[in-house]
Amino acid sequence: MNTPSVPPRSISTSAPDPLGSDQGQARIDATGRIPAGGRRALVLGGGGSTGNAWLIGVVAGLFDAGLDVTPAELTIGTSAGSTAAAQVAGATPPQLLAAILSAEPRPGTDPAGPHRGRAPTRPVADHLKRLERLIASAEDAADMRRSVGASAVDMDAASDGSWHTQWRATVASRLPSPIWPHRTVLITAVDAQTGEPVVFDRHSGVDLADAVAASCSSGRAYRIGNNRYIDGGYRRNENADLAAGHERILVLSPFGGRTLHPPEWGMQLAAQVDELSAGGSRVEAIFPDSGSEHLFGADAMDFSLRPPAARAGYQQGGEHAQRLADFWR
């Protein structure tokens, strides 16, 4: 998901607290600081590299059509959506969209051929098969999270130790600013050792890049201090229920609200929407249309599909702006 750097948006910032090996561990989980209510919440779900591009495209399409959803009182980011949440807090949607589209090779100018920049699909397919096996053998969602966490810790232990540094550098290079925004942005993850969901915010004593790297860590366990974390999508792919109490909630879901987990676990977006609606919230969602569904799933880490995913999202954002105007404002 490498993209050119984008100019930073003028934002109010708050420097993160320093985090040593023990410092801040008791304050990392921001669940207790989630606002009990507010007017608007923006939820950005997971979906891989193409999902991130689609999310940026939708937000940019809404923006150019006259509807800016980025000043929401609460923004929740999960996995690829955590990157998008940090990005829209640090740069304007048109800047972010332009960065994605400018990375597209021009026809006839790519000496490496049409597959340059494409991520191999085998690792993604292997990861999905491993995940399906762990889900099938789990008793419930909590058991699944513990099993996935243990597997991720084992994978990390078997490596040469370089992945953590490389992954953090990669994630940091995608963020317009290394500083947490002053407004409320929540980044979800799961404790790899306990299976318990965790939420990071600017008060957690964790660098923004570390929080995003943890939320996007679907394979190996990502280290912060003495703890290890895996992808926030193992709680729920959107985690929209964390916005409970807000009047209006807009959910952008690259995976269309679907999940690999059994319906009875309640991981799907429909279950989250039912919970939010029961609490009095109004919820609207945008999913990829049928013409762009092939950009996600097994090909979600194919970097060459980012520009078309962003364009598809941009078109949808423009199409939905008028419908959502009264709802959002």
Side-chain angles (χ1 to χ4, degrees):
M1 200 167 68
N2 294 326
T3 60
S5 60
V6 295
R9 171 186 285 181
S10 176
I11 56 174
S12 298
T13 61
S14 177
D17 297 330
L19 179 68
S21 58
D22 299 315
Q23 193 173 12
Q25 296 297 320
R27 297 182 290 108
I28 280 181
D29 190 1
T31 304
R33 292 191 296 271
I34 296 175
R39 291 179 57 224
R40 302 171 299 182
L42 175 65
V43 178
L44 304 174
S49 182
T50 56
N52 169 266
W54 180 83
L55 291 168
I56 295 301
V58 172
V59 173
L62 291 168
F63 183 92
D64 283 353
L67 184 61
D68 185 5
V69 298
T70 62
E73 287 79 7
L74 171 66
T75 300
I76 298 169
T78 297
S79 195
S82 71
T83 307
Q87 289 171 326
V88 299
T92 67
Q95 289 171 339
L96 295 168
L97 178 65
I100 295 172
L101 298 181
S102 66
E104 184 174 26
R106 296 180 181 178
T109 63
D110 187 359
H115 299 291
R116 178 179 180 270
R118 294 182 68 121
T121 57
R122 181 61 183 272
V124 176
D126 290 345
H127 170 68
L128 289 174
K129 289 180 180 178
R130 179 173 62 89
L131 180 57
E132 288 171 353
R133 288 194 299 269
L134 292 171
I135 291 173
S137 63
E139 296 180 0
D140 53 27
D143 186 38
M144 177 273 298
R145 289 194 296 268
R146 288 190 293 268
S147 297
V148 172
S151 176
V153 169
D154 289 344
M155 289 181 63
D156 188 47
S159 68
D160 63 5
S162 63
W163 174 81
H164 177 274
T165 301
Q166 294 171 353
W167 181 233
R168 189 191 192 284
T170 297
V171 170
S173 71
R174 300 169 179 169
L175 308 184
S177 171
I179 306 300
W180 282 91
H182 184 70
R183 65 174 179 266
T184 304
V185 174
L186 303 180
I187 304 297
T188 66
V190 170
D191 189 306
Q193 294 160 305
T194 67
E196 291 297 316
V198 172
V199 179
F200 300 104
D201 68 359
R202 66 188 179 92
H203 301 291
S204 298
V206 172
D207 286 347
L208 179 60
D210 283 318
V212 173
S215 186
C216 296
S217 183
S218 60
R220 297 177 181 175
Y222 184 78
R223 183 178 69 255
I224 302 179
N226 293 327
N227 291 354
R228 305 290 186 274
Y229 299 94
I230 55 175
D231 200 299
Y234 291 122
R235 179 186 182 272
R236 281 171 155 177
N237 191 54
E238 297 83 14
N239 290 301
D241 57 297
L242 294 178
H246 284 70
E247 296 175 11
R248 287 158 285 171
I249 302 167
L250 177 61
V251 183
L252 308 186
S253 176
F255 285 153
R258 298 184 296 272
T259 176
L260 294 174
H261 305 94
E264 58 268 25
W265 289 4
M267 304 278 277
Q268 67 274 25
L269 179 59
Q272 301 170 54
V273 172
D274 287 345
E275 295 169 17
L276 291 167
S277 299
S281 299
R282 293 176 57 196
V283 185
E284 292 284 351
I286 301 179
F287 304 146
D289 58 29
S290 59
S292 58
E293 287 181 341
H294 67 284
L295 299 171
F296 310 99
D299 291 328
M301 298 309 295
D302 187 338
F303 296 163
S304 71
L305 297 180
R306 281 176 55 76
R311 287 195 295 271
Y314 182 83
Q315 180 176 345
Q316 285 188 264
E319 293 170 350
H320 284 277
Q322 184 174 359
R323 176 180 70 83
L324 294 173
D326 290 340
F327 163 78
W328 191 251
R329 293 171 179 154

